Amino acid sequence: MRRKKRRRLNWRNIIGLLLFIILIVGGLYGFTVYNSFNKAVATMHEPLDEKDSKEKQTEALEKKEPFSALMLGVDERDGDSGRSDTMIVLTVNPNNNSVKMLSIPRDTMTEIVGKGKEDKINHAYAFGGVPMAVDTVENFLDIPIDYYVKINMEGFKDIVDTVGGINVENDFGFKVEESNFPTGDIHLNGEEALIYIRMRYDDPNGDFGRQERQRQVIQAVIKKGASISSLSKAPDIFKAIGSNVKTNLTFEEMINIQKNYKEAGKNIEQLTIQSEGKMIDNIYYGIVTMAEQQRIQDELKAQLEINSDS
């Protein structure tokens, strides 16, 4: 009687099978992440009808032309229309691979476009929402704003908690009620991050210190959200972002920015605009001189490759 020949294990086949399974599982997970991101963008998308020319803007991104974006950190609470506590203008140039980030102090006095009067620049959002805020910033800086991103700071804590909290380097130790923020590297959960960026009056740098903390937190969330350790949380992260962020960027435009402007994002220069505090009718305003306003306008126009005479 012939003995059956035992089949020898073919390790190449086994390894190949394992790799195939890993690729299938990875592909399914990748699809889930992609699908979650797509749904989040659909929830986030709010166009500025009279301003948006999507065909023209998408074509500009495909051609790798410089663009600008206004980031609005809006403090919207129950029973309040909200104000833009954070106004950051990003000018992105892929030709010199750089981003210039300008924080506009909330108390800056300027013309509120559509309201016919001068007031604090952050009141533009309270008077007329994103369209009036965009028009007012465009007029103040004399540059076009191509895109906006509005973040609900009250809901921002959900995003921080979803990524598992963040770490920031705190240069100024302070305490707010029961929350203590010592000097050095500190870990913040969502509620703590919100208190951290809202503190203003005890900071010797005033609104500029507050703006710096806001930038810290936003950059820390982006860094943590993009890390390998957060990949498994991607669907939850996108869901939290979709609930608290609005933008006129489309899914296709976000993909183009990621593809064509990635190197520029590695070189971010922070700009500041100088103002002098002044009390007018018992209200504090930041007064920007015409020379200082012109200096900032010229720098942003150069970054966007716009002729200063245009």
Side-chain angles (χ1 to χ4, degrees), residues 118-238:
E118 289 195 329
D119 205 335
K120 296 185 180 186
I121 196 166
N122 74 317
H123 287 186
Y125 179 84
F127 291 141
V130 172
M132 191 173 286
V134 169
D135 287 343
T136 298
V137 171
E138 283 186 333
N139 184 65
F140 178 66
L141 297 176
D142 196 27
I143 61 169
I145 296 296
D146 300 309
Y147 302 103
Y148 81 88
V149 179
K150 184 184 81 169
I151 304 172
N152 177 13
M153 301 309 287
E154 182 67 23
F156 192 69
K157 60 186 178 184
D158 297 335
I159 301 174
V160 175
D161 284 333
T162 303
V163 300
I166 56 172
N167 281 66
V168 296
E169 187 68 26
N170 185 24
D171 296 329
F172 168 66
F174 62 93
K175 187 175 182 180
V176 178
E177 295 180 353
E178 300 302 316
S179 300
N180 187 38
F181 301 93
T183 303
D185 185 56
I186 56 175
H187 182 81
L188 305 174
N189 61 27
E191 188 65 37
E192 291 166 340
L194 203 58
I195 297 170
Y196 182 75
I197 61 179
R198 278 180 173 164
M199 196 284 286
R200 178 187 181 195
Y201 296 109
D202 292 335
D203 194 322
N205 293 319
D207 206 37
F208 291 105
R210 186 170 183 264
Q211 290 168 20
E212 176 57 32
R213 288 194 299 279
Q214 289 168 346
R215 283 196 293 262
Q216 276 186 317
V217 168
I218 291 170
Q219 289 173 344
V221 168
I222 293 171
K223 182 179 179 181
K224 186 73 177 288
S227 68
I228 296 296
S229 62
S230 296
L231 279 179
S232 62
K233 304 173 186 175
D236 292 332
I237 293 172
F238 292 143

Side-chain angles (χ1 to χ4, degrees), residues 39-41 43-44 159 237-246:
K39 286 181 180 178
V41 174
T43 304
M44 291 159 53
I159 301 174
I237 293 172
F238 292 143
K239 185 178 178 181
I241 291 173
S243 300
N244 295 291
V245 177
K246 297 297 177 187

Side-chain angles (χ1 to χ4, degrees), residues 72-76 82-85 125 150-154:
L72 296 167
V74 179
D75 204 354
E76 291 179 315
R83 286 186 175 86
S84 51
D85 278 356
Y125 179 84
K150 184 184 81 169
I151 304 172
N152 177 13
M153 301 309 287
E154 182 67 23

